[in-house]
Every structure is written in C-alpha cells, then in structure tokens.
Amino acid sequence: MRVTFRWKTGGLDVAGLATTIGASRLTMGGLIKHLAGVEVMKAGPEIDGSSPGEPWASAPWDEVQDWDFTSAGQDSPEQLYALYDAAVAQAQSRLEAALDRGGLDQRIALSDQVDLEVSLRRNLFDLIEEYSRHLGHADLIREAVDGQVGLDPPYPEAS
C-alpha cells in the first residue's frame, strides 16, 4: 500500500498537491503529510512511547483541527515528499526492530493519550487500514489532477 500511495501521490507540483475535488478540502499534500505522521506515530510513540520528533512534537494539535492536513499547503513538494519518505524509512526500520524484539503478539501501549495496550499485530493492521482509507481519496484526487488512474504502479516489462 505504501508503494501504491507513493505512486499515486508522486511527481506533483504545488498546484497538484493543492487540488481539491467537490466540497472536500482534502488535498494530496494533506494526505502525504498525514500519512507521514501516521507512519511516525505507529512506529514510535505507539510502540515504545518515544517522541515523534518534529514537526509532530510541536504541532498545534489542540489549536488547529486537522493540522497535518491543513498545514501541508505551507510546505513545498520537496518538503512533503522528503517528510513522507523519511517517515516510511524510519518506520520500516523501527517496525523490523520491534518484530525482532518480540514478534507480532507482543503488547504495546497504543499511545500516551489512550490507556490501552494492543498487540504489534493490531498496530500494523491499523496502519494498513489507514492506507486503505486514504488510497481511495488519492485515486480520486489524482484523477482530477492529471487523469492518472490505475490500481498499481506500472511495472517494467520482463525481458
């Protein structure tokens, strides 16, 4: 799902990242920043209580509703793609380390805001579910931007 999301959102300029459809204010830039944050949270604070780092730690979550979605318009395409790519790379590394430490059934704290323990397996399912929800949004927005449609990124032809 990460690969498909990166393909659906890839290569857009400022206008493409800011495109909305219908009555929604949702943008590709907002989706990129939001899923970068989801990656960071699922592979950090929700596993071991660590700080999410910046820009997440100092974001005005209580003052600005949907900060990750709405603040993306202030970021350049390069900043958004770098933020997302770094978040995915860090999440992959941290999730692999967590699996090595205790497997999928180890108990983790869901977050510092919710007094609930779940398994690492549940955490990963939640990550997949978050991508599933937003890939549909990305499909619609990308088609409105430049007509790109499809389920999967193009694969090189076998020689």
Side-chain angles (χ1 to χ4, degrees), residues 55-130:
W56 321 108
S58 63
W61 298 108
D62 293 334
E63 293 86 38
V64 181
Q65 184 178 6
D66 296 327
W67 171 83
D68 45 354
F69 289 106
T70 60
S71 66
Q74 300 164 14
D75 301 324
S76 71
E78 296 79 17
Q79 289 170 312
L80 288 170
Y81 291 125
L83 184 69
Y84 177 78
D85 292 341
V88 168
Q90 180 184 34
Q92 286 176 319
S93 175
R94 292 184 68 130
L95 290 169
E96 286 172 14
L99 284 168
D100 289 345
R101 280 192 310 272
L104 287 172
D105 293 322
Q106 68 182 287
R107 306 304 288 172
I108 60 171
L110 186 57
S111 80
D112 61 354
Q113 298 174 359
V114 179
D115 187 22
L116 176 67
E117 282 193 357
V118 298
S119 68
L120 181 59
R121 181 186 317 274
R122 163 69 190 275
N123 178 282
L124 292 174
F125 272 102
D126 288 349
L127 180 61
I128 293 167
E129 183 271 334
E130 192 74 16

Side-chain angles (χ1 to χ4, degrees), residues 4 7-8 135 138-140 142-143 147-154:
T4 301
W7 168 63
K8 284 286 178 184
L135 274 171
D139 282 338
L140 293 171
R142 185 61 187 243
E143 186 174 5
Q148 177 182 295
V149 295
L151 300 176
D152 294 305

Side-chain angles (χ1 to χ4, degrees), residues 20-50:
T20 61
I21 57 174
S24 176
R25 296 182 331 197
L26 190 61
T27 66
M28 289 292 236
L31 287 172
I32 292 168
K33 193 165 189 175
H34 171 69
L35 283 173
V38 170
E39 290 277 1
V40 166
M41 295 303 291
K42 292 290 178 195
E46 290 189 13
I47 290 177
D48 59 16
S50 62

